[in-house]
């Protein structure tokens, strides 16, 4: 590129890579989700609490994370293919349409710890939108300018999958070696939660997770996804699987709650409130 034109205020859309006159000030998570995120019993019913374990801080805020990233037509693509349908399915104070839909149309086994569903029994558009939405959030985490907040996701997708995800989101190709596990929380009290994408390893698998209003998305990415992980997906001949469980009873939630209690130093409003348990950073 000619260096001379770098002086101009170039607006390149992160998705289509075209130069546009104006980019939309995009939200990281759908704007419609924020009003439904509530404080927990511990934090009171104030604004949502963003928990950043890397910085060991809990900051109570209703600030919405936003950056100019997409042109109007790509923003519209995200809305049309993912956010619009997700926004009709997630958990709010008035109900949890996706959980109802799964239980009425796709239940295949009821277990003590979790219930399992066959995603092929659901409307293909619904399933496609949930998959598209999850892909769009992980892609966004990869290309986002995290600024001073720090990048908790650490560009974990890598450049190869960044471009694969981008092609998929533009409707230019399927995604190979990507499996999505959606854990639907059957507990109303712990569903009003939003967590931003992080990535880690469990055994041979690299997995990527985030949660939004009763939905916990776990995406496995890469050619080295273990046979154990692939097996249920192959058995059901699908790229997306749904289970539901009571998050309050799950080991992962207990562990997170434990970490929050013991490691997180409360900041801001939380510190002033005598009622919240974030203040007690007691160590055994
Ligand atoms: Zn664009």
């Amino acid at each position: 590129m000619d260096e001379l034109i770098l002086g101009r205020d170039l607006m390149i859309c992160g998705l289509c890579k075209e130069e546009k006159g104006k980019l939309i000030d995009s939200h990281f998570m759908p704007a419609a989700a924020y009003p439904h995120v509530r404080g927990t019993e511990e934090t009171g019913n104030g604004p949502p609490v963003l928990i950043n374990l890397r910085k060991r801080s809990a900051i109570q805020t209703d600030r919405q994370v936003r950056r100019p990233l997409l042109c109007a037509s790509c923003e519209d693509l995200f809305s049309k293919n993912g956010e619009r349908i997700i926004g009709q399915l997630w958990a709010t104070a008035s109900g949890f349409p996706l959980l109802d839909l799964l239980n009425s149309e796709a239940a295949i086994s009821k277990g003590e710890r979790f219930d399992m569903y066959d995603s092929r029994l659901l409307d293909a558009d619904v399933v496609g939108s949930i998959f598209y939405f999850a892909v769009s959030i992980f892609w966004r985490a990869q290309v986002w300018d995290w600024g001073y907040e720090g990048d908790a996701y650490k560009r974990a997708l890598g450049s190869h999958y960044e471009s694969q995800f981008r092609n998929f989101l533009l409707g230019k190709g399927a995604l190979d070696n990507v499996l999505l596990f959606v854990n639907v929380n059957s507990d109303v009290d712990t569903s009003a939660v939003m967590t931003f994408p992080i990535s880690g390893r469990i055994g041979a698998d690299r997995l990527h997770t985030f949660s939004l209003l009763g939905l916990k998305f776990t995406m496995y990415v890469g050619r080295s996804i273990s046979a154990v992980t692939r097996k249920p997906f192959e058995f059901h001949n699908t790229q997306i699987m749904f289970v539901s469980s009571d998050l309050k009873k799950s080991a992962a939630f207990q562990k997170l709650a434990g970490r929050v209690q013991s490691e997180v130093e409360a900041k801001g409003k939380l510190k002033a409130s005598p009622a919240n348990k974030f203040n007690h950073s007691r160590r055994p």
Side-chain angles (χ1 to χ4, degrees):
M1 193 178 284
D2 192 331
E3 275 190 19
L4 284 174
I5 61 167
L6 289 175
R8 267 172 38 205
D9 203 7
L10 280 180
M11 296 292 223
I12 308 283
C13 169
L15 192 70
C16 66
K17 300 284 189 189
E18 284 170 26
E19 188 186 341
K20 303 281 173 143
K22 185 173 174 284
L23 296 182
I24 307 288
D25 200 15
S26 306
H27 293 268
F28 186 87
M29 292 286 188
Y34 286 84
H36 302 296
V37 179
R38 298 188 308 269
T40 60
E41 246 174 71
E42 283 79 16
T43 61
N45 287 319
V49 175
L50 296 182
I51 295 168
N52 184 337
L53 286 174
R54 198 177 61 82
K55 288 184 181 166
R56 300 194 175 194
S57 65
I59 303 160
Q60 192 162 26
T61 179
D62 47 13
R63 171 181 51 93
Q64 300 183 7
V65 180
R66 52 203 289 180
R67 293 273 186 280
L69 176 66
L70 303 174
C71 71
S73 57
C74 289
E75 180 81 9
D76 190 51
L77 211 59
F78 275 21
S79 163
K80 219 170 50 196
N81 292 342
E83 291 175 10
R84 205 172 291 169
I85 286 188
I86 272 281
Q88 293 163 7
L89 296 172
W90 58 36
T92 70
S94 54
F96 197 170
L98 181 61
L99 185 60
D100 296 342
L101 199 64
L102 287 166
N103 283 327
S104 64
E105 291 185 14
I108 47 171
S109 77
K110 295 259 168 200
E112 207 171 292
R113 281 170 41 236
F114 59 87
D115 298 340
M116 223 166 94
Y117 306 93
D118 186 340
S119 60
R120 292 169 301 179
L121 299 173
L122 293 174
D123 185 310
D125 282 347
V126 167
V127 177
S129 295
I130 295 171
F131 189 80
Y132 187 98
F133 173 71
V135 170
S136 78
I137 292 291
F138 289 118
W139 174 80
R140 228 184 283 226
Q142 174 71 19
V143 301
W144 199 254
D145 171 15
W146 289 100
Y148 70 92
E149 293 161 279
D151 174 13
Y153 188 59
K154 300 194 174 88
R155 315 274 177 224
L157 209 51
S159 58
H160 172 73
Y161 281 101
E162 188 276 319
S163 77
Q164 298 287 307
F165 275 42
R166 184 151 40 80
N167 275 337
F168 170 80
L169 292 167
L170 287 166
K172 291 179 182 169
L175 271 182
D176 291 329
N177 298 309
V178 174
L179 302 173
L180 178 66
F181 192 75
V182 184
N183 193 341
V184 180
N185 183 9
S186 59
D187 173 51
V188 200
D189 297 337
T190 51
S191 64
V193 166
M194 174 189 288
T195 66
F196 283 65
I198 51 169
S199 171
R201 279 187 175 281
I202 291 186
D205 293 332
R206 172 163 283 284
L207 47 88
H208 307 252
T209 60
F210 73 95
S211 336
L212 185 64
L213 300 177
L215 305 164
K216 185 180 179 201
F217 299 88
T218 302
M219 191 169 251
Y220 298 86
V221 180
R223 269 181 301 191
S224 63
I225 300 172
S226 67
V228 177
T229 301
R230 283 184 190 275
K231 205 171 179 179
F233 290 93
E234 283 166 359
F235 182 80
H236 288 104
N237 190 25
T238 182
Q239 222 174 344
I240 177 168
M241 294 220 29
F242 294 90
V243 299
S244 73
S245 62
D246 183 336
L247 184 68
K248 213 158 32 186
K249 291 181 191 155
S250 83
F253 183 76
Q254 304 286 9
K255 206 172 141 196
L256 176 70
R259 282 186 71 183
V260 169
Q261 292 278 353
S262 64
E263 292 183 21
V264 170
E265 184 197 340
K267 287 185 178 173
K269 247 170 100 180
L270 288 169
K271 213 164 208 169
S273 156
N276 78 72
K277 291 173 187 161
F278 283 96
N279 278 340
H280 306 295
S281 52
R282 288 183 195 136
R283 281 157 205 280

